[in-house]
Amino acid sequence: MAVLLEHESQIFLDLFHQDGLVVCARGLGIDRLLLRFLRLYCEPASLVLVLNTSPAEEEYFIDQLRSDGVVHLPRRVTNEITNNTRYEFYTQGGVIFATSRILVVDFLTDRIPANLITGILVYKAHRIIESCQEAFILRLYRQKNKQGFIKAFTDNAVAFNTGFCHVERVMRNLFVRKLYLWPRFHIAVNSFLEKHKPEVVEIHVSMTPAMLAIQTSILDILNACLRELKRYNPVLEVEDLSLENAIGKPFDKTIRHYLDPLWHQLGAKTKSLVQDLKILRTLLLYLTQYDCVTFLNLLESLKASEKAFGENSGWLFLDSSTSMFVNARARVYRIADEKLNQKGKVSEKSDVKKENELKRELVLESNPKWEALREVLKEIENENKNSEDLGGPGQVLICASDDRACAQLREYIIAGAEAFLTRLYNKTFGKDEKAGEEWIKDRKAVKSKGNARPDTGPQAKKAKLTASSKQNKHKKQQDRTIIQMMGKTEEEKREELEVEDNKELSSSQESSIEETIPEDFHVNLPSDCYYGIFKNPLTIIHPLQGCSDPYALTRVLHEVEPRYVVLYDAELTFVRQLEIYKASRPGKPLRVYFLIYGGSTEEQRYLTALRKEKEAFEKLIREKASMVIPEEREGRDETNLDLIRDAKPASVSTDTRKAGGQEQKSVQQTVIVDMREFRSELPSLIHRRGIDIEPVTLEVGDYILTPDICVERKSISDLIGSLNNGRLYTQCISMSRYYKRPILLIEFDPNKSFSLIPRGSLHQEISSNDVTSKLTLLTLHFPKLRILWCPSPHATAELFEELKQNHPQPDAETAMAVTADSEILPESDKYNPGPQDFLLKMPGINAKNCRALMNHVKSIAELVTLSKDELSKILGNAANATQLFDFIHLTYGEAISKGKSKR
């Protein structure tokens, strides 16, 4: 394992000596810190639980420890480990990764030796809010174990910016007293990283005039949409919803945070504005991220799609929108006639076009960043030729934002801008293929005459580069780089292009390698989404996001050990990671090329992310200074009020009518809870009220409060879904059959309104498809069913406690024995359910007189033999008796004639 850096060992020692919450700047290696703690406790003598890690992260940690030669590797608790062997599994010690649901159940059923736990490590600690499962686990752990440690890690300082005293609440749930803050501007971090700075070359690429015009148009429209949104919803007049934030990545979350509670009250106009903001942000991203053809294709699809066109809130009709369309088209093609009128020249080329009655002339503007990347790669190649003193040529790692950008860059580097864009154009705007073909013929003709334009961008550069590569061909063959790969004749390139024309742009690494790279090119890298360009020196493109493994890029970085890193797209976390990478390899050179569009939204986005994190840390530093932390916060003695399981307020007076106010012997209340319910926060809240929880697998119901009361809990979305697919009906049949008091609990989200249907969708006509109509039908079908409406899980827990008062406790064995189709019924029910259902379907028999009839009559065969008088005596109602008697004894013919006479 890499030796910890100065500041990292300082953090490690602080946290080792006293439990706390570490908040680190993004990319400063919070995973390296957790890894060091895992390394420390990977031994059978200790038992350490790790919370809040995803399977991919667990895989990464285990791999790192394995490569470090750790013998007792961390283990995972999954459903595959049976309940009876689980205690033994825990007692074997070491580090254990487990899902929260399994841990909660194991703590409640004592399958885990709580007193033997050395401690708990909590990753991504900013997520630990009071109602989450992890907070419940920590509370159960602290109730049963006062000695063990709790250490928490997070690198998301911005998350603590929302809400009031967020960090204090998180620390309270974590039972820690210390807060360790390590921003990038911390004196220890800053001074150490300054000593080991990588060589950075910042290249501010200027956008083309058309790109700038498009960016201005999009920002104008974005601003107009935001203003409109605030005009319709004055509640949104907040600084968070500014234009600067609108171009940032977390904006979707921010707007959802404000609008979710009122979503049901919003009009169609507001909803379409929110949708438009999303579309405009995507356009902004595509502009700097991808090529002109992809951008135009997205833009045209917005106008072509009738649905999007009909539902847009009006931005498509703004002047800025027109300007955006004009400029986006100008980047890809221009109309030949317009060119004639503007310039007043008649070129040979346009004559040819007129003859062919061609309207479009392709422009296919290359991406300025591509040019910059090619220059950078050329510079690296030249340096690699004279790199004997550095120990041979250095590896190159190019990082772009996502898979698509990587695939595009790879094809650009290999095929050149012109070939790549033409192929993309023909694929995207296929109907204009003729234009593309003509353009290629024209270009060929011009080139063969030898009067190529002095510098039309990539083409001329390519010619120069080809020449230079031919001179170097007598050098070592294995120094095969981009430039030699491009050293083919124009004809070969065209043939290659024609072959490629028929292929889809492939995003998968295997097929993209097959297209143009020699078959023997395969690098054994610990990532599934890299794009190799060539082998010697190894040059690889890797996406910053979107890999199935979040640590893919980190693995590739340490495996390839590049001397040159080209950041095609800026991403804060990875930039910091590179600083740490350089500091951990002192003496080895690292040059980072930083490509960014000057004055673009891309640059602004990066700077905003930096500023936001800095502000978040400054706020945390101020909060830490004024924070009041009680002595008993860690819960190591009995004085911590958070660990007391009793919801009775201190002001409750004793009842003197009961034996003169003597303390009554209270029975410990229990509730039986279905295993699947541990995804919700309700079990945690019930437990907090001093009620014991028995987790079992129930087939009927979710919560059993007493032997008679069975509760089926539904959230609103769940309720609508199960009403539509009929699942709720079968659940109610089972509950009504086996329990005297079946209850349907409808639980609302506390952040949203306490109403089942939005005001806007109330109709004058009653429809059978409405949720309310379906609920009404449900109550008519099941007279015993009771419906509880709860505005929040807290209210539900309180209700459950009240419903349980003065009632016997449920039995887990009995509850588990009840299955949807079991014939074993509770003792109180002496009847066979099949004939009982059959009886209830007969005319004249209802839920009230059904039981009386079953008490008097043994079987349906006996019922048929009874006379009308006997029936009326049993049913207590002559009309019902007549209905039933006629139903049994009337022949089909008589019934039909009776029906006719009635008419």
Side-chain angles (χ1 to χ4, degrees):
M1 183 182 286
V3 182
L4 282 184
L5 308 177
E6 273 176 35
H7 64 276
E8 289 178 331
S9 39
Q10 181 61 51
I11 305 173
F12 175 78
L13 289 169
D14 286 351
L15 194 58
F16 179 71
H17 291 304
Q18 190 168 8
D19 293 0
L21 164 65
V22 171
V23 183
C24 228
R26 276 195 183 286
L28 277 193
I30 200 84
D31 46 346
R32 286 161 60 99
L33 187 63
L34 179 61
L35 210 50
R36 178 56 53 149
F37 275 103
L38 295 180
R39 173 93 178 74
L40 185 66
Y41 296 113
C42 274
E43 53 179 25
S46 57
L47 170 58
V48 173
L49 304 175
V50 186
L51 298 183
N52 242 350
T53 46
S54 67
E57 285 160 348
E58 290 162 15
E59 197 63 52
Y60 172 72
F61 292 135
I62 293 170
D63 279 355
Q64 292 292 314
L65 292 165
R66 189 182 290 122
S67 63
D68 198 33
V70 172
V71 183
H72 205 268
L73 287 171
R75 292 167 302 144
R76 290 173 174 173
V77 179
T78 57
N79 299 337
E80 289 157 23
I81 297 160
T82 54
N83 296 345
N84 44 8
T85 59
R86 213 160 295 156
Y87 190 87
E88 287 168 37
F89 184 86
Y90 289 123
T91 48
Q92 287 165 17
V95 172
I96 287 176
F97 292 115
T99 62
S100 355
R101 203 156 67 105
I102 288 176
L103 274 182
V104 167
V105 172
D106 287 353
F107 266 112
L108 288 169
T109 51
D110 286 326
R111 272 189 218 127
I112 188 165
N115 54 330
L116 300 179
I117 296 174
T118 318
I120 294 184
L121 300 170
V122 185
Y123 198 46
K124 294 187 275 223
H126 57 275
R127 295 185 185 167
I128 309 294
I129 52 169
E130 188 184 4
S131 55
C132 72
Q133 292 302 323
E134 286 74 22
F136 188 19
I137 291 167
L138 292 167
R139 201 168 75 235
L140 289 168
Y141 163 67
R142 262 292 171 253
Q143 280 164 359
K144 297 179 180 187
N145 181 331
K146 304 287 183 192
Q147 272 70 50
F149 65 75
I150 295 174
K151 302 185 192 301
F153 311 83
T154 181
D155 62 354
N156 191 344
V158 183
F160 293 110
N161 236 344
T162 54
F164 179 67
C165 288
H166 191 129
V167 70
E168 211 167 328
R169 291 207 304 273
V170 167
M171 286 169 69
R172 184 178 166 180
N173 297 328
L174 288 166
F175 298 100
V176 295
R177 294 185 57 212
K178 281 291 215 185
L179 175 63
Y180 302 105
L181 299 175
W182 288 84
R184 172 65 179 80
F185 56 80
H186 191 293
I187 187 79
V189 180
N190 205 20
S191 60
F192 176 71
L193 291 179
E194 280 298 311
K195 285 185 219 159
H196 303 279
K197 267 201 326 202
E199 184 190 346
V200 179
V201 181
E202 258 191 57
I203 301 172
H204 284 265
V205 185
S206 13
M207 296 165 86
T208 62
M211 284 173 81
L212 270 172
I214 293 171
Q215 180 179 282
T216 313
S217 304
I218 298 178
L219 289 175
D220 282 349
I221 300 167
L222 254 176
N223 207 9
C225 285
L226 276 172
R227 276 206 312 272
E228 195 80 346
L229 192 66
K230 289 175 182 175
R231 191 165 69 81
Y232 280 103
N233 305 282
V235 71
L236 295 178
E237 280 293 350
V238 281
E239 57 184 24
D240 284 4
L241 300 181
S242 62
L243 186 60
E244 183 191 356
N245 288 344
I247 60 177
K249 279 190 185 131
F251 185 71
D252 286 338
K253 275 186 189 162
T254 314
I255 204 154
R256 201 176 306 131
H257 167 74
Y258 285 109
L259 289 180
D260 249 6
L262 343 152
W263 192 253
H264 63 287
Q265 298 170 354
L266 299 178
K269 184 80 173 168
T270 307
K271 287 181 181 175
S272 75
L273 276 168
V274 172
Q275 187 57 35
D276 289 342
L277 285 174
K278 200 173 177 181
I279 291 170
L280 289 163
R281 281 159 44 75
T282 311
L283 281 171
L284 211 44
L285 198 69
Y286 268 53
L287 178 66
T288 51
Q289 213 70 54
Y290 307 124
D291 57 278
C292 55
V293 179
T294 310
F295 180 78
L296 181 65
N297 187 32
L298 175 68
L299 203 55
E300 295 286 11
S301 70
L302 289 178
K303 211 163 189 175
S305 149
E306 209 170 305
K307 186 166 178 283
F309 192 75
E311 285 178 5
N312 96 85
S313 56
W315 68 269
L316 277 173
F317 307 111
L318 295 174
D319 291 347
S320 306
S321 167
T322 315
S323 136
M324 172 167 66
F325 274 95
V326 168
N327 282 300
R329 286 175 187 144
R331 289 176 71 203
V332 181
Y333 59 80
R334 59 172 162 249
I335 309 296
D337 301 344
E338 278 180 13
K339 197 186 85 169
L340 289 178
N341 297 340
Q342 284 163 3
K343 297 190 178 174
K345 293 179 202 162
V346 182
S347 66
E348 185 188 330
K349 208 188 289 183
S350 55
D351 281 343
V352 174
K353 288 209 160 83
K354 270 188 182 168
E355 284 167 24
N356 291 324
E357 295 175 357
L358 256 178
K359 299 256 174 77
R360 287 178 179 185
E361 180 189 330
L362 295 187
V363 176
L364 298 180
E365 175 183 281
S366 171
N367 216 332
K369 254 198 201 180
W370 290 356
E371 310 299 328
L373 178 65
R374 170 146 294 165
E375 293 293 328
V376 165
L377 291 175
K378 181 81 175 79
E379 184 182 318
I380 292 173
E381 190 210 7
N382 289 336
E383 279 194 20
N384 273 340
K385 284 174 193 163
N386 319 313
S387 58
E388 276 69 37
D389 51 335
L390 291 171
Q395 323 261 44
V396 184
L397 175 66
I398 304 168
C399 293
S401 64
D402 56 18
D403 211 45
R404 189 174 188 171
C406 292
Q408 288 201 349
L409 283 182
R410 182 181 170 282
E411 196 172 341
Y412 160 71
I413 289 168
I414 289 160
E418 205 172 283
F420 167 48
L421 287 173
T422 311
R423 187 186 73 71
L424 208 56
Y425 179 84
N426 288 340
K427 182 189 146 198
T428 314
F429 302 99
K431 54 181 180 289
D432 305 311
E433 229 164 292
K434 222 163 83 179
E437 283 165 20
E438 285 300 325
W439 187 63
I440 288 171
K441 277 182 197 165
D442 275 355
R443 303 290 285 178
K444 273 191 181 175
V446 171
K447 282 202 177 67
S448 59
K449 285 176 191 165
N451 57 356
R453 283 175 235 172
D455 188 2
T456 50
Q459 205 56 50
K461 280 182 191 152
K462 205 178 339 173
K464 287 179 202 161
L465 298 177
T466 310
S468 69
S469 67
K470 278 177 185 163
Q471 293 159 16
N472 303 325
K473 266 206 171 148
H474 64 275
K475 287 198 174 182
K476 286 184 230 163
Q477 192 52 42
Q478 75 245 32
D479 275 6
R480 199 151 177 260
T481 58
I482 305 181
I483 317 300
Q484 275 98 3
M485 292 204 72
M486 287 168 37
K488 302 175 181 177
T489 62
E490 218 43 49
E491 267 58 50
E492 279 178 63
K493 212 170 279 176
R494 289 289 165 240
E495 282 160 26
E496 197 173 283
L497 169 73
E498 277 152 29
V499 172
E500 274 186 15
D501 263 347
N502 307 322
K503 293 189 183 180
E504 285 291 304
L505 176 60
S506 158
S507 63
S508 79
Q509 158 233 346
E510 290 81 19
S511 50
S512 62
I513 281 180
E514 280 163 25
E515 269 179 34
T516 41
I517 284 204
E519 281 165 36
D520 62 340
F521 182 61
H522 179 73
V523 191
N524 190 17
L525 283 183
S527 163
D528 55 355
C529 45
Y530 68 89
Y531 288 78
I533 300 179
F534 28 68
K535 225 168 182 175
N536 228 334
L538 186 62
T539 301
I540 274 176
I541 307 184
H542 200 288
L544 289 161
Q545 280 129 8
C547 292
S548 51
D549 174 9
Y551 288 100
L553 189 52
T554 314
R555 290 174 194 256
V556 168
L557 183 65
H558 289 279
E559 183 88 9
V560 174
E561 296 202 332
R563 189 184 301 160
Y564 305 101
V565 176
V566 183
L567 289 172
Y568 184 82
D569 289 301
E571 208 246 341
L572 184 59
T573 313
F574 189 61
V575 171
R576 298 252 176 83
Q577 216 172 317
L578 285 173
E579 288 187 297
I580 299 289
Y581 165 73
K582 171 72 178 85
S584 61
R585 299 161 70 250
K588 292 190 180 174
L590 171 71
R591 182 183 299 166
V592 179
Y593 289 94
F594 206 109
L595 304 184
I596 201 153
Y597 282 120
S600 69
T601 51
E602 177 191 39
E603 183 181 34
Q604 186 57 54
R605 205 176 294 130
Y606 181 74
L607 295 173
T608 304
L610 263 176
R611 181 179 59 78
K612 284 254 172 83
E613 190 184 73
K614 185 169 177 285
E615 283 173 4
F617 268 114
E618 284 167 355
K619 184 182 173 188
L620 282 173
I621 291 165
R622 286 196 302 274
E623 276 190 29
K624 185 181 175 180
S626 61
M627 206 183 278
V628 178
I629 297 169
E631 277 295 315
E632 68 276 2
R633 165 63 56 81
E634 290 191 352
R636 293 183 189 273
D637 48 30
E638 297 302 327
T639 50
N640 188 329
L641 297 175
D642 287 334
L643 294 175
I644 296 170
R645 287 180 54 207
D646 191 11
K648 280 184 189 144
S651 58
V652 171
S653 56
T654 49
D655 189 350
T656 51
R657 283 183 297 177
K658 289 185 181 169
Q662 290 174 22
E663 202 165 307
Q664 300 295 308
K665 257 186 142 184
S666 60
V667 181
Q668 178 53 50
Q669 303 277 344
T670 35
V671 168
I672 295 166
V673 181
D674 183 30
M675 290 283 195
R676 287 163 293 236
E677 276 299 301
F678 282 95
R679 290 192 188 98
S680 73
E681 57 190 278
L682 187 53
S684 158
L685 297 170
I686 294 172
H687 184 267
R688 194 155 196 172
R689 300 189 80 86
I691 299 171
D692 277 352
I693 286 175
E694 270 194 74
V696 294
T697 307
L698 296 174
E699 272 203 41
V700 176
D702 292 330
Y703 297 85
I704 311 295
L705 305 186
T706 72
D708 293 342
I709 300 178
C710 167
V711 179
E712 179 69 38
R713 187 187 73 90
K714 295 282 180 201
S715 63
I716 298 299
S717 55
D718 201 9
L719 174 77
I720 293 167
S722 52
L723 274 173
N724 288 342
N725 64 19
R727 203 174 80 241
L728 186 56
Y729 182 79
T730 51
Q731 286 171 331
C732 287
I733 288 178
S734 312
M735 285 202 299
S736 308
R737 182 168 289 167
Y738 303 114
Y739 292 97
K740 281 185 184 168
R741 292 202 181 87
I743 291 177
L744 171 64
L745 168 81
I746 299 171
E747 196 174 83
F748 288 80
D749 184 338
N751 299 322
K752 296 186 183 174
S753 76
F754 189 34
S755 66
L756 191 58
I757 306 173
R759 275 187 308 203
S761 55
L762 281 172
H763 304 294
Q764 288 184 334
E765 297 296 321
I766 294 175
S767 155
S768 60
N769 290 333
D770 286 345
V771 180
T772 39
S773 305
K774 288 179 178 170
L775 269 180
T776 314
L777 280 172
L778 200 69
T779 48
L780 288 172
H781 269 284
F782 303 103
K784 287 202 294 184
L785 184 71
R786 297 286 172 266
I787 298 182
L788 290 181
W789 304 82
C790 290
S792 73
H794 288 269
T796 310
E798 198 175 327
L799 249 174
F800 278 9
E801 192 178 15
E802 286 171 15
L803 285 170
K804 281 186 65 61
Q805 277 173 9
N806 307 324
H807 282 290
Q809 303 310 313
D811 176 46
E813 295 296 320
T814 318
M816 282 170 74
V818 173
T819 59
D821 44 42
S822 65
E823 292 301 319
I824 314 147
L825 293 166
E827 264 92 78
S828 60
D829 222 337
K830 311 182 191 89
Y831 309 107
N832 195 350
Q836 191 176 337
D837 289 347
F838 181 72
L839 261 185
L840 280 166
K841 297 277 190 295
M842 289 184 169
I845 294 177
N846 52 38
K848 290 173 187 169
N849 58 25
C850 181
R851 193 140 306 222
L853 185 68
M854 288 192 289
N855 285 336
H856 285 87
V857 182
K858 280 184 184 171
S859 65
I860 289 178
E862 190 186 328
L863 175 67
V864 176
T865 61
L866 296 178
S867 68
K868 198 183 284 190
D869 295 341
E870 286 170 319
L871 280 175
S872 64
K873 206 180 285 177
I874 294 168
L875 296 176
N877 183 321
N880 284 348
T882 311
Q883 259 186 309
L884 181 60
F885 186 81
D886 286 354
F887 173 72
I888 295 169
H889 297 285
L890 219 60
T891 64
Y892 180 65
E894 287 171 343
I896 284 186
S897 61
K898 205 172 183 183
K900 279 181 183 169
S901 64
K902 268 187 186 172
R903 276 184 209 159

